[in-house]
Amino acid sequence: MQSEQKEDFFVGRQPILDVDNNIYGYELLFRGGLNPNQAHFDSPSQATATVICNAMMYMGLNQLVGNAKAFINFPEEYFFEMRDPCFHHSQAVIEILETVEPTDEVVESVRYLKEQGYMIALDDFIFSKKFIPFIKMADIVKFDVLDIQPEKIKPLFQKIKQLKEVTILAERVETREMFELCKEAGANLFQGYYFAKPEVLSGKRLSVAKLNLLELLEKVVDESLHLDDLEKIIEKDIGLSIKIMKLAKQYRTETMPDFASLKEVLILFGLKRVQSWATMISMTALEDVLPEVFNLARLRANFMRNVAQKERLPAVDSYYLAGLFSMMDVIVGQSLEEALEQIPLNDNIKKGLLKGEGEYGRLLQAAKSFEMNHADQHQEYALIYFEALKEVNALTNI
């Protein structure tokens, strides 16, 4: 029975950044399992509470967010059913959902959690006098800025800070303009699509580092490349060679012999797998791109390859490359079409990335649906997505 329970949930995440674009935490996104019809709940909030409990017990926050904070939604029932959470206060921020009423019992439960050391956030906050008891205990107040008229954002932030000096989190920040507006208005943290896919400025001149990256990728992903040629390309960059060796050690199985050279790694893992590794490492070497962009590209890459492997699609490692290259516009600061024109990428991959066509387009759309928290139609990929997320976290320090 225990193995069945583990398949009743999965977890996604959305990044939360500070004013300097550093990762502060992730909001954990919860959905039902591979077959959500197997469980019956009296209310959506009860279902969410159960999923949270299961997820924390089986997975552990460190697998989901590393050293960052985990923002965890609390429906009303949770304040009565779980006064002593199964996750440690040093990693968690408890979000009081906007539907939770500030009854005496709930206020007392929030006060108890505060005393245990948990940070408290108010989710999708709309000001009302009845919520003042929540505000007085809150560490973070989240505002859905798309639901606020731009000229009212700063006065609203100031009004809250007059009641208590709290951290303001601007949620659903989707453009550079909104990011700058919220920052000027006094927001401290930011969450939204803008950070997962920053605005691309057309005609932006590429830096030398990005030009070098495109030149390297032009060689690395060439379909006519031979094993010896790839070895020569990688060996020219000592740092790239070392990281390839580290990756190989992580993926080495017990049946594989020890390896001590790049040539042995190429022979053991194959040209296409090492190509994908070299591509990923080369892309993440750029210093002026948000780390979360690379993490998102890796997550898509791992997810698409793992699904392709499960469905026994041909050339599974090409799906890894497709996932990586789906973020090239953000990484080099050009349109995706312009960026891909400079790389000898398979036409089917290009059509999948640019037009959503074929298997590449289908799996990329599935990956994006998890990112945007609209993956109800892709429940069969839930656990694969979570496994891909764990792989990304494991590779963060490579």
Side-chain angles (χ1 to χ4, degrees), residues 86-122:
C86 55
F87 37 82
H88 197 268
H89 61 77
S90 63
Q91 275 194 292
V93 177
I94 292 173
E95 291 195 29
I96 303 176
L97 295 180
E98 66 276 15
T99 55
V100 177
E101 290 294 321
T103 62
D104 291 343
E105 293 84 357
V106 171
V107 170
E108 174 56 33
S109 181
V110 174
R111 185 176 292 112
Y112 175 79
L113 289 166
K114 281 281 293 183
E115 290 171 355
Q116 305 310 305
Y118 290 96
M119 294 181 67
I120 303 296
L122 306 183

Side-chain angles (χ1 to χ4, degrees), residues 97-350:
L97 295 180
E98 66 276 15
T99 55
V100 177
E101 290 294 321
T103 62
D104 291 343
E105 293 84 357
V106 171
V107 170
E108 174 56 33
S109 181
V110 174
R111 185 176 292 112
Y112 175 79
L113 289 166
K114 281 281 293 183
E115 290 171 355
Q116 305 310 305
Y118 290 96
M119 294 181 67
I120 303 296
L122 306 183
D123 190 34
D124 289 344
F125 186 74
I126 298 176
F127 184 80
S128 173
K129 286 186 178 179
K130 69 178 182 179
F131 291 124
I132 289 179
F134 283 166
I135 296 173
K136 289 182 177 179
M137 290 186 288
D139 300 284
I140 299 170
V141 178
K142 299 179 69 173
F143 289 96
D144 184 339
V145 293
L146 282 187
D147 285 343
I148 306 171
Q149 295 177 16
E151 66 274 12
K152 294 183 178 180
I153 290 177
K154 187 170 184 177
L156 183 57
F157 288 1
Q158 290 176 337
K159 184 175 182 179
I160 292 298
K161 288 199 173 185
Q162 285 173 359
L163 290 171
K164 186 189 176 188
E165 191 60 33
V166 296
T167 296
I168 299 291
L169 194 161
E171 194 172 19
R172 285 217 292 167
V173 177
E174 297 190 353
T175 65
R176 180 187 297 275
E177 290 77 17
M178 182 57 76
F179 170 60
E180 295 295 341
L181 174 63
C182 292
K183 186 164 63 170
E184 194 277 330
N188 313 101
L189 299 173
F190 308 87
Q191 178 180 357
Y193 189 62
Y194 169 68
F195 299 100
K197 189 177 176 64
E199 182 182 30
V200 178
L201 304 178
S202 60
K204 184 177 178 181
R205 182 177 295 177
L206 295 185
S207 67
V208 173
K210 290 177 180 178
L211 286 171
N212 291 341
L213 168 66
L214 289 172
E215 289 176 6
L216 176 63
L217 294 179
E218 186 177 359
K219 298 173 183 175
V220 169
V221 304
D222 190 339
E223 287 194 323
S224 63
L225 191 69
H226 294 289
L227 189 144
D228 290 340
D229 298 326
L230 180 59
E231 182 186 12
K232 290 176 183 176
I233 293 170
I234 295 173
E235 283 183 338
K236 289 180 180 178
D237 186 331
I238 300 300
L240 180 58
S241 301
I242 292 171
K243 289 182 178 181
I244 289 288
M245 295 294 287
K246 284 184 177 180
L247 265 176
K249 287 179 181 177
Q250 281 213 14
Y251 282 98
R252 177 181 172 272
T253 65
E254 293 181 358
T255 58
M256 288 182 178
D258 291 332
F259 42 77
S261 70
L262 186 60
K263 171 75 86 175
E264 291 173 358
V265 169
L266 281 160
I267 292 171
L268 281 170
F269 289 95
L271 175 67
K272 294 300 181 183
R273 177 57 58 93
V274 180
Q275 269 183 318
S276 65
W277 287 348
T279 303
M280 181 265 289
I281 293 168
S282 301
M283 289 167 64
T284 56
L286 297 175
E287 295 181 352
D288 62 340
V289 182
L290 293 178
E292 184 57 31
V293 171
F294 296 123
N295 286 340
L296 183 57
R298 290 187 222 183
L299 180 53
R300 290 181 181 179
N302 286 334
F303 171 75
M304 290 175 67
R305 181 181 61 201
N306 293 350
V307 173
Q309 196 164 21
K310 181 183 178 183
E311 297 183 351
R312 299 185 178 179
L313 300 177
V316 293
D317 286 314
S318 67
Y319 288 87
Y320 186 94
L321 286 178
L324 285 180
F325 283 119
S326 69
M327 301 293 292
M328 276 301 290
D329 53 341
V330 184
I331 291 168
V332 301
Q334 293 180 329
S335 72
L336 189 57
E337 189 170 9
E338 288 175 324
L340 296 182
E341 276 179 1
Q342 303 173 64
I343 302 169
L345 204 57
N346 178 286
D347 282 342
N348 289 331
I349 296 179
K350 287 185 178 180

